Amino acid sequence: MPEHETRSAELLHQYWAELHADLAATPPSELDPELALLARSLEDHLRPPEPDPSFAAELQRRLQVQTSPTSPNGHVARPSRRRPRFPIPAVRWSLAAAAILAVALLGAAFSITRPKSVSAQEIVQKAAAASADLSATGIRGFELTRESSFQVDAQCDQPGTGTCTGETRLEEYVWYEAPGKWRIELHFTSAGGKPADQSLTTVADGQTIWSYDSSTRTTRITAGKLDGMKQEWLAPDGADLAAVLKEAAACHHPEVTGEETVAGRRAYVVSLGASTCPSADAQILNGPETVWVDQETFFVLKQVILAGAGKPVVDQETVREIHYNPSLSDTLFSFAVPAGSQVQDERFTPTPTPAGAHAPLTSPTPANLAELRATSPYPVFIPTDLPPGLTPEPPTGGRITYHDQSGAMALTVLNGPAGCCLATVSPRNVGEQERIVLPNGSLAHYLDLSPDVGGPILWWNQDGTYLAISGPRLTKDGLLKIAASMSKTADLGPTARPTTRPSPTALPTPTFPVLRPSWLPEKLTVREQVGSLGTGVAPEVTLTFDPRPNDKPHELLTLEERPASAGSGGVVDSQVTHETIGGHAVAIVHRGQGCVSASWTQGGLSLTLTNPYDPPGPPGAVRYSCDQLRRVIGSVH
Amino acid sequence: MPFPFPARSDGETRADHTGCSPEPDEAVLLAAARADPGAFTALYQRYLGPVYRYCFVRLGDRLAAEDATSETFLKALAALPEHREGAFAAWLFRIAHNTTVDVHRRRRPTAPLETAAEPADPDPTPEDLAIADANAAILRAALLRLSDEQRAVIELQLAGWSPREIAATVGKTSAAIKMLRFRAISRLKTLLATIPESAPREAHDA
C-alpha cells in the first residue's frame, strides 16, 4: 500500500486516540484536515455515553441470580434492600415500612417470663420470625417513638470524620392495635443534608388506609388493611425487611457482644458484621451492622449500619420510648382529610346494577371543538386552508383527523402542550429533518416519510401549543400551506366519521426478485417484510421462519436480502469458514459446534441466513444444525 | 471474587480507552467463569462498557442499548460452556452485533408521531438539539453506506474498544485495522460530499 496512505492511517490512528480523551485535541498538521474534522464530528455526535450505573447494577444482579442461586458461601443471596436515591417523598415508604418493622419486631414473641439464654443466631432467627408474623407474638397493641437517620448516597468516605453529608433525619410515632389498626406519623427534620419540615401520616382502620403528605397536601385513600408485616402498602419500592432479617442469619456472622438498655428495655447487642451476600442495589447498606434486640419480645429496638469498618454511620434507627398493650383511643385510627388537601381516592366503587339487568352503558358523545377548547390548557388549532374534498372527524383529545371522499385518512392534526413530543425529543430514530421557518415566524421541522408509515410530517410550537400535521399523500408544500392557515379560533364546521374505510394500502413491493428457500428443516410460518434501515439506504427484504407463530416473541430463522451493491461487504468474524454450497461461496460463522449465520451472494443480492438462539434443547445453542442450514442455503432460488 | 488474580506481566495495559490499570488475563477470567459461573461477573464488569457503547452506537437509543446489552450478556452467559476457542471479546461482539441486527429488524423505520416523546435534554436549546441530532442522523446514514467491515471498525472505535480488541474482533492485525479505519473515513468523506445538504451544520445563537 502507498507509503503516504500508511502514514496518513497512522496519523489518523494517533489523532483519534487523542480525540477520544479530549475533543479539543489538535490534529496533526500532516493529516488531511477534512478527515480530521470528520473524525472529530463522529466523536462529537456519535460517541455513546457510559451505561447508567443503576442499569449496570441491575443487570449484574440478574446475571448473578442466573449463575448463583446461592451465594459464594452457599447461602441464599441477600434480597434487594433498595434505598431511594432521593429523599422525600420516595423515602417515606421505606421509612414507614421500617417503622412498621420496628413495631412488629417489638411484638415478637412477647412473654412475661424472661427467656433463657440464647445464641446470636437464635436471637436473629426469633427477631426474623417476629417481623414476619406479628399476630403470633401475643402483642395486642403498642405505641412507640423512634428517631432515625440515614444516608441516601454514600458520602462517608473519610474514616474517622464521624460525619456524612446528605443525611436525612426523622422522628416516628407509631400506634398499633390488633388485628389491623395502625397510625404512623413521620416527621422529617432534614432531607439530604438540608433542613426539612415535612410530615407523612398513615392511618389504617382495618378496612381503609389513608396516607397524607404535608409537602404535597395530598391524601391518598386505598382499600385494604395492614396485616402484620404486609408492608407493601407502605413500602411499594422498599425492601421486604422481614425477608432481610430472615436472610440475615445466612448472610452474616452474628455475635452477641453485650447487653444494653434501649427505651427502658433490656436488649441483646448483636453484631452482624458486614454482609457476605451484598446487595448490588443498596450497596450503602452492605457495611457492618449491629442490632439491639429486646430480650423479652425479640423486637429490634435499635439498628446501626456503618459505611465500612471504622467508617461513619450511614443508617441508624433507635426506639426512644415504647409501651406494650396500652389502652388506645379509637380516634387514633380514624382520619379526617385536612381541609384544602387534594384527595386521591383509589378505592373501587362498583356501579350499582338493577336487579336482573345490567346497567346500560352511556353512549360516548364525541367531543366538539368548542368543548375541547374550553377544557384545554393550551390553544387548539385547526387549519383553515385545506385540500379540497376533506371532511373533519370529531376531535379525539387534541387530534383532529380529516378523511377524503373514499373514507381514507388524508390529514392528521395533532395539538399538544408546547415542547412535547417531536418538538423536544432527540429524533435519533426519526431520520433526517429539515428546518423551515413558517410565515408566522415559528421554526418548524419537516420529515419526509413514506405513505406506509403515515406520510411526511411537519411539526412546530405555536402560541403555547405543539402542532404536528401529516398525511400519507401530502407534499411538503401542501403541509406548509396548511401550517400557514392554522387558527385557534376558527370553527371546525360539521364533522362526520366515514361510513367505510378503503382497503389497506398495499404493501410495498421489493425492487428486486426475492429469493426463497424451497427446503425448511421443520414446519415454519413464513413472513416477508420489505423495509429499509434508513433514509437513502437500499431496501431489504427480510424473510422470517417461525415454528411457533402464536407464541410470545422469540428469535427466528431469518433470511435477509438486499442488493449486493448496497455496501454489504465481507463477514467480520474470527470464526468463519468458507464453503461452496449450491455453487455459491458461503461464509459461515461458527460458535462452538453451531453455525450461527451464513452469508453469500446470489442473483445480485447479498443474503444472510441467521440461525436463532431458540433451541428445543439446552439454552445457549442455536436451533438448527449446520447441515440443516446448508440444506436451506442450497435450496434458495 | 473467589480467586486471586495475578497482574499482567507483559507490560501491555488497557489504559488507552478504559483507563484501567493492568488486569487479569482474559483467558484466566474465562476459565474462572467456566469453572464457576459466579465468576462471570468479572467478565461482565470488564465488557459491560464496551458492549453497551457498541450497542448504543449501533442503535442510537439508550433504552434499546440497555435491552440489547442485557440480551447480549444473558446469551453469553447461557452459551459460555459452548465457547471453547477464540477471543472472548470477539465472540461477545458477535453476539452483540447479532442482537443489534435483530433490533434493527424489529424496528419501524421511523417513530410514530404521537409516541415520540422523551424528556428534553436540558442543556442545549431545542434548536441546537435539532441541529445536533440532524448531524448525527446524517453521519449515521452515511455510516450505513460503508461496507460491513468498515462500519464495524468505526462503530467499535466510537464504542471505545481498544485497537487490540478491535483487531481481535475483526480478525485482522492492528496495522490492517488502522488502514481499514483510514479508508472508512475517507469513504465517509466522499459519501458526505455527495449527499445533498449533508454537511453537518453548526448551531447559531438566536
Side-chain angles (χ1 to χ4, degrees):
Chain A
M1 57 191 68
E3 178 62 29
H4 76 275
E5 200 176 34
T6 305
R7 173 65 179 155
S8 295
E10 183 61 37
L11 289 173
L12 178 65
H13 168 70
Q14 293 173 4
Y15 173 58
W16 207 324
E18 293 173 9
L19 266 182
H20 201 81
D22 180 11
L23 264 183
T26 304
S29 56
E30 297 175 63
L31 181 63
D32 181 343
E34 290 187 5
L35 295 185
L37 180 61
L38 185 49
R40 184 181 182 283
S41 206
L42 285 167
E43 282 287 335
D44 191 17
H45 294 292
L46 299 186
R47 183 193 296 181
E50 293 300 315
D52 185 86
S54 60
F55 158 73
E58 173 60 24
L59 179 55
Q60 180 170 335
R61 187 191 68 80
R62 288 176 63 191
L63 293 170
Q64 287 174 337
V65 168
Q66 295 274 0
T67 61
S68 286
T70 58
S71 73
N73 293 337
H75 302 295
V76 176
R78 186 176 198 175
S80 176
R81 286 187 66 183
R82 280 170 293 163
R83 285 291 192 184
R85 289 190 59 78
F86 302 101
I88 308 162
V91 160
R92 66 183 187 276
W93 305 125
S94 58
L95 286 181
I100 295 291
L101 167 66
V103 165
L105 292 180
L106 278 172
F110 180 76
S111 171
I112 300 285
T113 60
R114 187 175 295 279
K116 301 176 184 176
S117 174
V118 292
S119 67
Q121 283 282 4
E122 193 173 349
I123 293 172
V124 174
Q125 288 169 4
K126 287 192 174 186
S131 70
D133 186 3
L134 182 61
S135 64
T137 65
I139 296 293
R140 300 184 305 277
F142 55 79
E143 61 180 340
L144 67 82
T145 60
R146 186 168 75 167
E147 290 179 2
S148 298
S149 66
F150 62 90
Q151 302 291 325
V152 175
D153 292 304
Q155 301 291 336
C156 309
D157 296 331
Q158 303 305 317
T161 61
T163 59
C164 297
T165 60
E167 187 181 58
T168 296
R169 301 184 68 90
L170 70 153
E171 298 172 347
E172 303 163 71
Y173 304 91
V174 185
W175 297 263
Y176 169 72
E177 183 175 290
K181 295 182 180 179
W182 293 88
R183 186 180 187 93
I184 304 162
E185 295 180 2
L186 309 180
H187 297 279
F188 292 86
T189 56
S190 73
K194 300 175 183 176
D197 183 16
Q198 180 193 4
S199 65
L200 301 170
T201 303
T202 302
V203 176
D205 66 0
Q207 293 178 326
T208 306
I209 302 171
W210 295 266
S211 301
Y212 175 72
D213 184 342
S214 70
S215 67
T216 60
R217 295 186 59 76
T218 301
T219 301
R220 180 170 167 250
I221 308 174
T222 54
K225 53 185 178 180
L226 297 175
D227 270 336
M229 294 314 297
K230 289 202 188 295
Q231 299 176 61
E232 59 267 21
W233 290 107
L234 295 182
D237 297 324
D240 183 346
L241 296 176
V244 168
L245 263 188
K246 185 178 178 182
E247 306 304 341
C251 297
H252 293 272
H253 300 292
E255 179 186 354
V256 179
T257 60
E259 295 182 4
E260 289 182 11
T261 299
V262 179
R265 308 284 303 177
R266 289 300 292 171
Y268 298 113
V269 183
V270 182
S271 171
L272 301 179
S275 174
T276 58
C277 30
S279 166
D281 291 339
Q283 297 180 19
I284 195 174
L285 301 177
N286 292 332
E289 184 169 347
T290 304
V291 293
W292 286 251
V293 182
D294 190 311
Q295 293 184 357
E296 292 185 13
T297 66
F298 294 94
F299 221 99
V300 174
L301 297 171
K302 182 177 176 180
Q303 181 184 33
V304 174
I305 304 176
L306 304 180
K311 292 190 177 182
V313 173
V314 296
D315 188 293
Q316 179 167 266
E317 298 158 8
T318 307
V319 173
R320 294 300 184 197
E321 188 175 350
I322 185 166
H323 303 283
Y324 297 113
N325 297 325
S327 175
L328 299 175
S329 168
D330 284 342
T331 58
L332 276 172
F333 308 111
S334 63
F335 186 81
V337 175
S341 79
Q342 184 181 7
V343 177
Q344 298 174 352
D345 193 335
E346 301 176 8
R347 293 171 295 182
F348 172 69
T349 306
T351 304
T353 303
H358 292 288
L361 293 174
T362 55
S363 300
T365 303
N368 58 47
L369 185 60
E371 292 173 2
L372 186 60
R373 281 175 170 158
T375 57
S376 172
Y378 45 83
V380 179
F381 288 79
I382 62 168
T384 57
D385 188 351
L386 288 168
L390 297 191
T391 302
E393 300 178 18
T396 306
R399 175 197 293 269
I400 304 161
T401 303
Y402 297 77
H403 59 268
D404 61 20
Q405 292 171 349
S406 72
M409 189 274 289
L411 169 68
T412 299
V413 176
L414 182 66
N415 287 261
C420 85
C421 313
L422 285 174
T424 56
V425 72
S426 176
R428 294 187 179 89
N429 298 331
V430 184
E432 301 177 13
Q433 312 165 36
E434 182 183 344
R435 300 168 72 214
I436 303 170
V437 178
L438 299 178
N440 63 8
S442 299
L443 176 64
H445 302 267
Y446 172 78
L447 184 66
D448 187 15
L449 300 176
S450 59
D452 60 315
V453 293
I457 306 174
L458 185 71
W459 71 92
W460 70 101
N461 293 317
Q462 183 174 339
D463 296 346
T465 299
Y466 164 85
L467 286 161
I469 56 177
S470 65
R473 284 171 293 282
L474 292 173
T475 64
K476 180 170 73 174
D477 288 341
L479 286 174
L480 289 173
K481 193 176 178 185
I482 294 170
S485 75
M486 300 298 279
S487 166
K488 56 186 175 183
T489 57
D491 184 37
L492 193 57
T495 62
R497 299 189 193 282
T499 53
T500 58
R501 295 281 188 192
S503 301
T505 305
L507 291 172
T509 54
T511 58
F512 48 83
V514 178
L515 302 179
R516 301 180 180 85
S518 59
W519 183 89
L520 293 173
E522 59 180 323
K523 183 178 178 183
L524 298 167
T525 298
V526 184
R527 291 193 178 95
E528 291 188 13
Q529 180 177 354
V530 181
S532 170
L533 287 179
T535 305
V537 179
E540 67 174 28
V541 173
T542 302
L543 287 79
T544 58
F545 306 88
D546 195 345
R548 308 186 304 279
N550 297 319
D551 205 347
K552 59 183 180 181
H554 50 270
E555 289 200 16
L556 303 172
L557 179 68
T558 305
L559 179 62
E560 284 180 297
E561 307 177 20
R562 61 178 176 172
S565 58
S568 180
V571 175
V572 179
D573 196 275
S574 59
Q575 298 183 49
V576 61
T577 60
H578 298 274
E579 305 179 16
T580 298
I581 303 174
H584 305 291
V586 181
I588 299 181
V589 175
H590 298 263
R591 288 292 179 267
Q593 300 302 315
C595 296
V596 297
S597 68
S599 301
W600 72 103
T601 302
Q602 182 177 344
L605 301 176
S606 289
L607 297 100
T608 301
L609 183 67
T610 303
N611 201 352
Y613 285 91
D614 179 40
V622 288
R623 186 175 181 88
Y624 304 110
S625 69
C626 293
D627 284 340
Q628 287 176 317
L629 281 196
R630 292 186 181 100
R631 194 165 172 187
V632 171
I633 295 167
S635 75
V636 171
H637 65 282
Chain B
M1 298 299 298
F3 304 102
F5 295 103
R8 287 187 68 94
S9 58
D10 59 3
E12 185 177 6
T13 72
R14 295 165 49 83
D16 46 358
H17 284 282
T18 66
C20 298
S21 54
E23 292 181 356
D25 186 85
E26 177 183 285
V28 174
L29 295 178
L30 200 53
R34 286 206 196 97
D36 175 10
F40 185 77
T41 300
L43 288 168
Y44 164 77
Q45 290 171 342
R46 172 173 285 192
Y47 290 107
L48 170 66
V51 168
Y52 173 85
R53 292 192 296 268
Y54 175 72
C55 291
F56 193 102
V57 169
R58 292 273 299 166
L59 300 173
D61 176 81
R62 181 180 66 84
L63 293 178
E66 287 181 353
D67 286 346
T69 302
S70 300
E71 202 173 327
T72 297
F73 278 102
L74 288 169
K75 284 181 185 174
L77 179 62
L80 195 62
E82 304 300 324
H83 177 63
R84 285 289 175 255
E85 55 185 29
F88 176 80
W91 179 65
L92 194 64
F93 159 77
R94 174 48 58 182
I95 295 176
H97 176 79
N98 288 341
T99 302
T100 57
V101 169
D102 288 343
V103 172
H104 271 302
R105 290 191 198 123
R106 290 193 293 264
R107 264 182 173 179
R108 294 175 62 82
T110 57
L113 173 65
E114 58 272 21
T115 62
E118 292 180 14
D121 186 327
D123 294 332
T125 65
E127 288 74 20
D128 290 337
L129 192 66
I131 293 171
D133 290 328
N135 290 339
I138 291 168
L139 290 170
R140 281 206 174 85
L143 276 176
L144 288 173
R145 299 187 184 195
L146 297 178
S147 70
D148 289 348
E149 203 170 53
Q150 290 176 341
R151 185 169 62 248
V153 168
I154 299 296
E155 288 172 341
L156 290 169
Q157 171 77 34
L158 290 169
W161 290 52
S162 70
R164 185 169 55 88
E165 288 167 336
I166 296 175
T169 298
V170 178
K172 293 183 181 296
T173 64
S174 293
I177 291 297
K178 292 176 187 177
M179 186 56 63
L180 191 61
R181 180 168 49 214
F182 172 76
R183 288 176 177 164
I185 289 291
S186 300
R187 172 73 178 146
L188 272 180
K189 171 187 163 186
T190 303
L191 288 170
L192 289 170
T194 58
I195 297 175
E197 300 182 6
S198 66
R201 298 183 283 274
E202 295 297 324
H204 300 286
D205 291 333

